[in-house]
Amino acid sequence: MPQPDLVIFDCDGVLVDSEIIAARIDAELLTSAGYEISAEEISEVAGLTFKDIMMRVEEKSRIPFQASLIDKEEQLVDRRLRSDVRAIDGAHEAVAAVAVPRCVCSNSRSERIEFMLEKVQLLPFFAGRIFSSLETPTGKSKPAPDVFRFAAEKLKADPANTFVIEDSVHGVTGAKTAGMRVIGFTGAAHSYPGHADALTEAGAETVIRRWAELKSVIAALSEWSADA
C-alpha cells in the first residue's frame, strides 16, 4: 500500500483545543481597544497571528491600536493556555497511528507549541520536529507556504507526497501553495457553521471532524493518488 513521505499536523485547533481560548482573549482585547468583535468572528480567521488579525482590523476600522497590545495578548494567552489547554479528543490515538514521519507546522512560537504539547502529553510524538513559521528563514506566517516547504526540506519529504491536517483556511492555503495534499479538520471547539465548506473551497481534499477517521482517510487518499 502506498505511504506518504510525511504527515504534517497544525497545532492550534488540530492537536490542542487552543483556538477558542485565544479567540476569546483576542476579542476582549480588541473590543476594549475600541473595535467590538466576538470570539466567534475571531474564530473565522483562525490560523492568523494576533498581529495579522490586529492589522486587518486596523485597516478595516481605521482605529489605530497600540503595538503594546501584541505583547499583552501573548502574555494573556500564554497564561491561559498553561492552565486550560486540552488535547482534542482522539488526538493521541490518531498521532500514534501515523506510522510514517510526522511533524508540527504552526504559526505559534515554538516555545508555546512545546509547552502546550508537553502539557497534553503529545510532545514525545514530535520532539525535534516542531516548525514555527516565525522561526523559518523568511519568518513569514501562514498563509505563506514557507513553513511547510521548510519542514519538507528538513525532513527530506516530497511535498506532493506529504499530507497536512489543517483547521484554518489560511493553513490550507499555505499547504496547497507548498504543493501538499490537505485534510481539513473541524473537531475543535472554535469550529463554526460553514467551516468544512470553507476548508474545502480553500483546497482541502476532504474534511474530517473526528480523529478516528484520519488513518482510513490517509490510506484512501494515498491509494487514490497511486491509482491516478
Side-chain angles (χ1 to χ4, degrees), residues 7 16 39 64 66 77 85 87 112 124 126 153 166 171 185 204 217 220 222-223 226:
V7 175
V16 295
Q66 296 292 323
V77 172
V85 77
R112 178 180 286 177
F126 299 105
E153 180 183 346
E166 273 285 354
F185 183 76
V217 165
S222 297
E223 192 69 39

Side-chain angles (χ1 to χ4, degrees), residues 39-204:
E40 290 73 24
E41 289 172 292
I42 294 282
S43 291
E44 293 189 22
V45 292
L48 291 178
T49 63
F50 179 68
K51 179 180 178 181
D52 287 337
I53 293 171
M54 194 174 77
M55 288 174 65
R56 286 187 176 205
V57 170
E58 197 170 54
E59 184 178 349
K60 178 182 177 181
S61 66
R62 303 297 179 188
I63 297 173
F65 296 113
Q66 296 292 323
S68 59
L69 207 59
I70 297 171
D71 289 336
K72 184 176 182 181
E73 191 265 359
E74 286 279 325
Q75 293 166 7
L76 290 173
V77 172
D78 275 353
R79 189 181 309 151
R80 191 76 58 83
L81 290 173
R82 286 184 185 278
S83 62
D84 294 353
V85 77
R86 300 288 182 270
I88 291 175
D89 288 346
H92 290 84
E93 295 80 2
V95 172
V98 173
V100 300
R102 55 189 174 238
C103 72
V104 169
C105 286
S106 171
N107 272 353
S108 288
R109 306 181 327 274
S110 58
E111 178 195 8
R112 178 180 286 177
I113 301 166
E114 288 174 8
F115 82 62
M116 289 192 296
L117 294 182
E118 183 175 27
K119 178 175 172 58
V120 302
Q121 301 179 331
L122 280 167
L123 186 58
F125 291 114
F126 299 105
R129 285 167 285 125
I130 291 172
F131 300 93
S132 165
S133 64
L134 306 176
E135 295 156 24
T136 60
T138 64
K140 291 182 179 178
S141 57
K142 306 172 193 176
D146 302 41
V147 68
F148 297 113
R149 289 174 175 163
F150 184 71
E153 180 183 346
K154 287 291 184 183
L155 299 175
K156 298 178 171 56
D158 178 1
N161 196 32
T162 295
F163 284 95
V164 180
I165 298 92
E166 273 285 354
D167 68 303
S168 75
V169 166
H170 307 289
V172 173
T173 300
K176 290 295 291 183
T177 304
M180 298 175 179
R181 304 180 69 184
V182 189
I183 298 168
F185 183 76
T186 61
H190 73 286
S191 190
Y192 53 88
H195 190 180
D197 290 340
L199 298 180
T200 301
E201 288 169 12

Side-chain angles (χ1 to χ4, degrees), residues 9-38:
F9 294 83
D10 180 36
C11 182
D12 298 283
V14 170
L15 294 172
V16 295
D17 213 352
S18 54
E19 288 286 10
I20 191 65
I21 293 172
R24 287 169 179 158
I25 291 171
D26 293 355
E28 288 172 9
L29 286 173
L30 290 174
T31 298
S32 296
Y35 184 81
E36 190 168 344
I37 189 169
S38 68

